Amino acid sequence: MADKAVDFLKEAVSNPQTIGAIAPSSDGLAQAMVSSVDWERVRVVVEYGPGTGSVTAAILERIEDRDFFAVELNETYAQGLSERFPELTVYHDSVENIDAILKTHGAAQVDAVISSLPWVLFSEDLQEVLLDKMLDVLAPDGQFSTFTYLHGLVAPKGKRFRERLEQRFAEVSRGDVVWRNVPPAVVYRCKR
Ligand SMILES: C[S@@+](CC[C@H](N)C(=O)[O-])C[C@H]1O[C@@H](n2cnc3c(N)ncnc32)[C@H](O)[C@@H]1O
């Protein structure tokens, strides 16, 4: 566990604008992310930015025979995920290319996106591009779950991110604060 935190931190220090965290997601946050999904309606699910795989492990426990794959930009994390979860398909790529990745994967659309991307660190243009590219592949009744750290709820950029979600989804709700995460976090659950 300590090794995992150190490995995470090494990459986080070298890539502050894309990793945006100082520690892997806690079990509590991983469970909150997985519980935010209405699994009845899901056949294909993708994880955006799985990092070292805390949320991935919780998804794998819940997945049964559903089609699950992950897209990770950081090469060290992508390699680590493939070693830790040999049964999982991990694409070392940017989610900006989700359309092409989905074609390679052989699926027409995804029913749920579970994201650990550090949205509030991204430029507003990049947020727009990534959200719109995701919507191009998300099923008409698709779901999107992501989290934000507590300070992101009150920061102007965090508030604008929530507005972007509300412009794109019919329903946007927020879960309870996961206080045991570092830093504390809340999950956004969005439905088309
Ligand atoms: C907050 S960290 C994820 C933490 C993860 N839940 C864990 O416990 O390790 C955000 C992750 O998003 C990845 N990421 C950032 N931009 C990305 C992009 N455009 N496409 C795919 N992954 C991206 C980063 O490399 C990083 O692994």
Side-chain angles (χ1 to χ4, degrees), residues 6-76:
V6 171
D7 290 346
F8 183 93
L9 197 55
K10 273 189 202 157
E11 292 304 312
V13 168
S14 313
N15 305 278
Q17 288 304 314
T18 54
I19 295 181
I22 50 167
S25 304
S26 62
D27 288 346
L29 180 56
Q31 290 306 329
M33 292 280 273
V34 168
S35 304
S36 71
V37 176
D38 174 4
W39 288 98
E40 287 296 307
R41 294 157 39 209
V42 173
R43 281 158 296 138
V44 182
V45 55
V46 55
E47 185 179 6
Y48 274 20
T52 50
S54 313
V55 179
T56 320
I59 298 172
L60 282 166
E61 275 174 20
R62 184 66 183 73
I63 200 73
E64 297 172 347
D65 58 355
R66 294 175 178 87
D67 183 359
F68 171 43
F69 64 97
V71 184
E72 173 53 58
L73 182 66
N74 180 286
E75 187 173 9
T76 306

Side-chain angles (χ1 to χ4, degrees), residues 103-128:
K103 285 196 182 100
T104 305
H105 193 70
Q109 58 183 16
V110 297
D111 302 303
V113 175
I114 301 177
S115 165
S116 296
L117 297 188
W119 291 97
V120 177
L121 281 187
F122 294 160
S123 71
E124 309 229 356
D125 284 350
L126 185 59
Q127 290 179 13
E128 298 263 336

Side-chain angles (χ1 to χ4, degrees), residues 20 120-121 148-159 183-185:
V120 177
L121 281 187
T148 184
Y149 297 118
L150 210 48
H151 51 268
L153 288 182
V154 286
K157 212 168 160 195
K159 287 184 181 169

